[in-house]
Amino acid sequence: MPLNVWQEYAVGDPVEVVHIPSDTSTYHWLGNLASDGNLIFDIVLVAIEFLMMAGAVARGIVAIIRDEQNADLSPTLRRAFLI
């Protein structure tokens, strides 16, 4: 538990803890797992995942448009769409 959180408690005060199913340790709900730094990191990861997915979808759409312009679907797209 961070020192600034620990100093707010006196002996005998109730302390709320968090249990993670895959971990045997206990954590305070204001500890490192719930910090704003981790939230920002998670938001950045989600944004990167979204951008990668959007890029993959855009590349797929461009590939489909190019194949339609050639008036023939590629064998890969035929297999993908079971045509």
Side-chain angles (χ1 to χ4, degrees):
M1 180 181 315
L3 182 60
N4 61 343
V5 175
W6 182 253
Q7 290 174 342
E8 295 177 11
Y9 290 95
V11 175
D13 285 350
V15 178
E16 293 183 51
V17 294
V18 177
H19 296 276
I20 299 174
S22 62
D23 193 355
T24 57
S25 301
T26 56
Y27 300 94
H28 188 268
W29 68 277
L30 289 176
N32 292 334
L33 294 176
S35 71
D36 289 337
N38 283 345
L39 177 64
I40 293 170
F41 179 71
D42 290 342
I43 289 171
V44 169
L45 282 181
V46 169
I48 290 170
E49 291 171 3
F50 176 77
L51 291 174
M52 290 177 66
M53 184 177 64
V57 168
R59 287 183 67 184
I61 290 171
V62 168
I64 290 171
I65 290 172
R66 285 184 182 162
D67 281 341
E68 286 178 356
Q69 289 173 349
N70 293 332
D72 188 24
L73 290 175
S74 69
T76 304
L77 287 175
R78 283 192 193 128
R79 283 191 300 254
F81 294 109
L82 302 173
I83 298 174

